[in-house]
């Protein structure tokens, strides 16, 4: 750095390592409306002067910056780390910066105080300096009362007068920030609260009688406590190379095909399959959902069947061979003759992006408030960055759920650039050790600033072996874990019926999967009462509505998993038996450092039973053949 | 991000979290000439294309960027983390960036290979794509041989011909980086090797007969293995308010005063105390030092005695009271009437900075190659940032040692902005637990990128209680620890005589400190042979010349500390008895994960004894009353 220009010496203050930030400010951390944002930074300067610092923040679209005082976290070491807070009250991009300056008057009065205490007698030099500071403040203030206070002190200046609390306060109120330094402007993306806390139910409308029939069920689904109703693609399905039941290569004449083979003569991604209903039906369904406090989520798969209108209207958007023919999808040696991928490197990429923008905005205008994006990790990152912002410019409410099961860095990148929520590896974390490690990573590393997990217990593609072989107790355990470990979780219909038969041993695909055939579904599975109760518990307990408040407890038994989740005035303990076959006993070891009372009462929110617990080991026994596979305790007030 | 302009689609590649970097590139990591720099980053893109990446680097003042290939560290997970290396061969600011692109031909030939293996027969479409890629490469190449290879393959294109290794190599050599993406340009500050690896000896020239007498001793000091000879201030000393022996407030008529009370009628920071010698003596001494492979370090204390010429020449550089009189230093209730601090906020700050630049450059031109800066943490950070660069523009060899014992964040900031080496808390880390924690922080956290510790066993200000009460064994232990834990360490003369009497019980100040009186010193302390041997060992063993290669070993006894230091082909084990009073026995537990042979022989470099060691526990006993207080073992080849 060359010697700075100007007659004022460069500021001596450093503001380092501001948080929350992601990748040096390349991405914006995420928060939700109603959150209190805690901003921290190293704030210090050379020498011994007393500093002050504020976080300055600005709401989306606001003109004025507001300020909140920051304080050193550890006064004992002349605290280098400072913190301040502000509440985010609207959706959109908030901005913040930190400003710090030397508090000349506080430094002066602190030294004067120390001299007084030490009995130093001649303070005339000190008082002449103080008089200058007070006079400056008196001239600066626009407050008549402050001016009066300051002038009164100046009238006959003594150390005692200068150190009077009202004088100090009057000066501070009118302090000049002579050497103020600021960080760059940092961003925060603030979503609605449902971005963090949501309960999803997934169904194939064709198995429930189409969109009108599903609309009629919405009161019941809402009554179960679900917030988001999510459909796999509802578009016309290609006929050429249509897949048959159980993913066979040749479809029978009545086979409906996979909803992921999108596009037919009836239309593409902007159309509704005629057998499901109409665009108006979607709009009506979305309105009914909204009336019941729910959102509708559409599945967006960015590929085309062989019959998709865009293949003929826009061949330039697809992969072409040198001879000009279009290339179907392949992952050698596998070939997918029924699917055509987009060529994201096409020179017409801008038209392609715009076409997708229109598709998504069209659905938003129909009333859709959430998109589950199929395989976003095989499309350009910049495309997602752009289109999420475009859609949010139309409706900031829209939630984007990333369905990327791939390398962790890629999943993180998608979350950083704007996906609201993400599918996770939860389905494959079934041991105590795996769950503890994974959830601690999600909750306590930097990832928590931008990656919001959505724990699905199952999906149309994932029926884990644990469920295949564990029977109903396995379904209970996984449901309790998903619903209490993650503030967002999801259930794909059939789970409540304990559906557990794979298409073949060793596969995670369902037998007779709804992906390839119509099933007859109804909302009467035996697990629904427990789902309803868990959703009630989730809504009633703030501790279950955030992620970074989980503390795993030792259980003295690897088949038992236990954790505490805490929010102000609300503590939940969960103990679950991971073994679906045998009774397991052990303890929930409550460590002293979590700050609970030495002894307290917990209420099992699933059974109503009460137990006396304490800091230390609390005996637990869970029996899949008995009455219970998991406890969800709340500390009784 | 709005949709990018231009007809080419935006690059689909991400290069994230590049290392080594400090605070988002705000500061440059440090390296030394001869180091191999390892650059890493997350490199990935959407989809399945094969990537290539290089680190591009540029020497100081060079015009051309060079490249080194990067490779994924973990191929198994389609490695997200990539690494590449380059050597830094000259001092100054090196620059680097990472470039990555999709390898279109490798992706194509990988897919072709998989189809061949799967027995797919009709590959005409694939070959027509490959032909395009080969023709492009043939047109692009300026190498006649490559063109011939490619045209031969094109002549009658078969899958086998396209997959021939020479064809692949010819295409790779002429690859087009169609979608190449780069990181920003990152910096590295490269010092000479002594910045990292150095042995310092500190003496007060006035106790050794002045500069000429010290010059005569240089061959002996060099023979002890020291690289840097460091003097407290050698300037004229103020007379007004001069301190007496043992820091008494009133000096006797013959008391020489503290060399830190700088400035008198004879001159200020640019002058030499007449009783020590002349500027020419300094120049001659520096030349002799250089001839013996040593550097001379001057202590720069940026404050003035009451008699400093600048007080009258430049009163505007000092703190003034409202009545225009100058303010002496104080830290209420303490007052330092003999010291005047500079006012770094003076409107004349630019002249003040420039005056200091001239002082330092003047000494550099006299031959001084290192500065120990007194209390840099009470002067502006930007001043140091600026003046270090200014001095380095004159002579990049110059080493700046920061003497800041203050908050860790402040010490780090000084190191980040350019101080070559730093004093540390080592003197106060005397237990096994403290040493392990502290050295692990220095060696294995991000701090290692910029903070080079210099472990002084004592200083004129610091005689730790451990030395006061431990007798010669304590001196041996601390010497071995400093010389083997840190690649740079220092000894202040008197240590080799086991000087251990404080000015009073509870103080870390020496009795009859050289700071306030002239002592008669000679180079004949009983600890010198061990110092010489340790310096020899340090020079012969690369493992002792770097910091981030230390692995602490369990000892089953808190009074014993043990660690391994490893370099290619060179492993040192140190075991030291921290208890200066009693024999201690325990083990050095060599863990398997460090990669040593199951059994090996170690040679004690202090005694020549050999021992059989193994992975696991190795018995050790160290006795302050017996022959040894510490082992320095080397694995025998």
């Amino acid at each position: 750095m060359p010697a700075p220009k100007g007659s004022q010496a460069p500021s001596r203050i450093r503001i380092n390592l501001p948080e929350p930030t992601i990748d040096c400010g390349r991405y914006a951390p995420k928060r939700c409306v109603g959150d209190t944002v805690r901003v921290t930074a190293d704030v210090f300067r050379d020498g011994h002067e007393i500093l002050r610092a504020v976080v300055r923040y600005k709401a989306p679209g606001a003109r004025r910056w507001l300020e909140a005082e920051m304080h050193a976290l550890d006064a004992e070491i002349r605290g280098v780390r400072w913190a301040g807070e502000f509440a985010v009250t609207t959706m959109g991009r908030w901005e913040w910066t930190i400003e710090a300056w030397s508090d000349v008057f506080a430094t002066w009065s602190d030294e004067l105080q120390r001299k007084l205490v030490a009995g130093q007698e001649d303070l005339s030099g000190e008082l002449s300096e103080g008089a200058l500071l007070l006079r400056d403040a008196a001239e600066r203030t626009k407050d008549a009362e402050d001016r009066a206070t300051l002038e009164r002190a100046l009238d006959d200046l003594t150390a005692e007068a200068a150190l009077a609390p009202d004088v100090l306060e009057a000066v501070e109120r009118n302090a000049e920030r002579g050497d103020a330094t600021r960080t760059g402007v940092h961003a925060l993306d603030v979503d609605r609260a449902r971005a963090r806390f949501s309960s999803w139910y997934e169904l194939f409308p064709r198995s429930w009688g189409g969109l009108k029939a599903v609309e009629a069920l919405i009161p019941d689904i809402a009554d179960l406590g679900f917030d988001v109703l999510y459909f796999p693609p509802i578009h016309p399905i290609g006929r050429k190379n249509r897949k048959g039941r159980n993913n066979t290569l040749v479809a029978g004449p009545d086979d409906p095909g996979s909803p992921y083979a999108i596009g037919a003569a009836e239309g593409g991604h902007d159309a509704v399959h005629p057998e499901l209903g109409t665009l108006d039906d979607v709009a009506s369904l979305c309105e009914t959902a909204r009336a019941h406090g729910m959102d509708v989520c559409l599945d967006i798969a960015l590929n085309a069947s062989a019959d998709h209108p865009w293949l003929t209207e826009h061949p330039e958007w697809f992969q072409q061979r040198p001879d000009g023919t279009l290339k179907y999808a392949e992952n050698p040696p596998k070939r997918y003759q029924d699917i055509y991928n987009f060529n994201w490197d096409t020179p017409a990429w801008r038209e392609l992006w715009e076409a997708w923008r229109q598709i998504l905005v069209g659905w938003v205008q129909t009333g859709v408030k959430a998109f589950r994006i199929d395989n976003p990790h095989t499309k350009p990152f910049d495309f997602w960055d752009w289109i999420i912002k475009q859609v949010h410019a139309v409706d900031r409410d829209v939630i984007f759920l990333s369905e990327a099961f791939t390398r962790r860095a890629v999943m993180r990148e998608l979350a950083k650039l704007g996906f609201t929520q993400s599918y996770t590896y939860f389905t494959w974390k079934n041991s105590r050790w795996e769950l503890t490690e994974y959830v601690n990573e999600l909750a306590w590393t930097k990832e928590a600033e931008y990656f919001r997990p959505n724990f699905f217990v199952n999906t149309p593609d994932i029926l884990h072996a644990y469920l295949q072989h564990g029977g109903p107790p396995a379904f209970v355990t996984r449901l309790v874990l998903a619903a209490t470990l993650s503030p967002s979780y999801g259930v794909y219909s059939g789970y409540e019926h304990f559906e557990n038969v794979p298409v073949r041993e060793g596969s995670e695909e369902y037998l007779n999967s709804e992906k390839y055939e119509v099933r007859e579904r109804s909302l009467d599975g035996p697990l629904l009462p427990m789902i309803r109760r868990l959703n009630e518990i989730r809504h009633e307990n703030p501790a279950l509505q955030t992620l970074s408040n989980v503390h795993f407890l030792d259980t003295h038994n690897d088949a038992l998993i236990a954790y505490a989740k805490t929010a102000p005035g609300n503590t939940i303990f969960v103990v679950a038996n991971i073994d679906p076959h045998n009774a397991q006993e052990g303890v929930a070891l409550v460590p002293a450092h979590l700050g609970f009372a030495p002894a307290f009462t917990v209420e099992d929110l699933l059974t109503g039973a009460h137990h006396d617990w304490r800091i230390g080991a609390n005996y637990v026994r869970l029996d899949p053949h008995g009455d219970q596979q998991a406890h969800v305790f709340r500390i009784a007030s």
Side-chain angles (χ1 to χ4, degrees), chain A residues 174 254 319 378 428 568:
Chain A
N174 301 285
D254 298 329
Q319 305 268 0
T378 56
W428 298 282

Side-chain angles (χ1 to χ4, degrees), chain A residues 236-249:
Chain A
I237 295 172
R239 281 169 189 81
K240 193 172 162 196
N241 295 319
R242 174 177 285 188
K243 293 284 183 71
R245 290 165 190 247
N246 287 310
N247 201 17
T248 46
L249 282 178

Side-chain angles (χ1 to χ4, degrees), chain A residues 246-247 334 427-428 458-470 475 499-513 515-516:
Chain A
N246 287 310
N247 201 17
K334 291 188 198 160
T427 333
W428 298 282
N458 66 332
T459 81
D461 301 312
I462 314 173
L463 169 67
H464 192 274
Y466 180 83
L467 297 174
Q468 295 174 26
H469 302 300
F475 282 73
E499 273 193 4
N500 69 344
V501 184
V503 67
R504 63 182 170 279
E505 186 62 27
S507 169
E508 293 186 345
E509 290 280 340
Y510 280 93
L511 178 68
N512 304 328
S513 166
K515 287 194 292 185
Y516 310 106

Side-chain angles (χ1 to χ4, degrees), chain A residues 393-405:
Chain A
V394 173
D395 186 346
R396 190 61 185 73
D397 272 351
V398 177
I399 287 170
F400 286 85
L401 169 62
S402 159
E403 190 255 5
F405 296 109

Side-chain angles (χ1 to χ4, degrees), chain A residues 163-315:
Chain A
L163 292 172
D166 61 336
V167 172
L168 182 63
E169 282 162 25
V171 181
E172 299 268 293
R173 267 194 297 273
N174 301 285
E176 200 177 39
R177 304 179 180 181
D179 60 350
T181 299
R182 282 189 195 162
T183 64
V185 173
H186 298 277
L188 283 173
D189 276 343
V190 177
D191 298 299
R192 56 183 170 137
R194 187 162 289 169
R196 183 188 63 232
F197 173 55
S198 55
S199 312
W200 294 50
Y201 189 68
E202 175 180 5
L203 60 82
F204 285 69
R206 69 188 183 190
S207 294
W208 298 73
L211 295 169
K212 273 291 164 210
V214 171
E215 185 178 346
L217 275 176
I218 280 181
D220 294 336
I221 298 171
D223 183 56
L224 286 168
F226 288 111
D227 314 303
V228 184
L229 176 59
Y230 147 42
F231 305 143
I234 57 170
H235 314 299
I237 295 172
R239 281 169 189 81
K240 193 172 162 196
N241 295 319
R242 174 177 285 188
K243 293 284 183 71
R245 290 165 190 247
N246 287 310
N247 201 17
T248 46
L249 282 178
V250 182
D254 298 329
D255 283 348
S258 161
Y260 290 91
I262 295 166
E266 297 87 351
H269 286 79
D270 52 356
V272 177
H273 195 301
E275 288 175 15
L276 295 177
T278 65
L279 273 175
D280 284 345
D281 293 342
V282 176
S284 170
L285 189 150
C286 290
E287 209 175 303
T288 301
R290 193 171 317 125
H292 287 82
M294 293 184 69
D295 291 313
V296 170
C297 173
L298 282 199
D299 195 340
I300 303 293
L302 292 83
N303 50 47
S305 82
D307 300 317
H308 196 292
W310 281 353
L311 256 63
T312 46
E313 292 167 13
H314 295 288

Side-chain angles (χ1 to χ4, degrees), chain A residues 320-355:
Chain A
Q320 302 183 31
R321 299 218 179 269
D323 67 2
T325 58
L326 298 188
K327 269 177 82 172
Y328 50 77
E330 49 182 352
N331 182 19
K334 291 188 198 160
R335 290 185 272 186
Y336 306 100
Q337 288 98 329
D338 59 331
I339 290 178
Y340 287 76
N341 285 329
F342 291 89
N343 173 16
W344 296 96
D345 292 327
T346 172
W349 61 273
R350 237 189 271 93
E351 291 76 13
L352 177 60
W353 288 24
E354 174 59 21

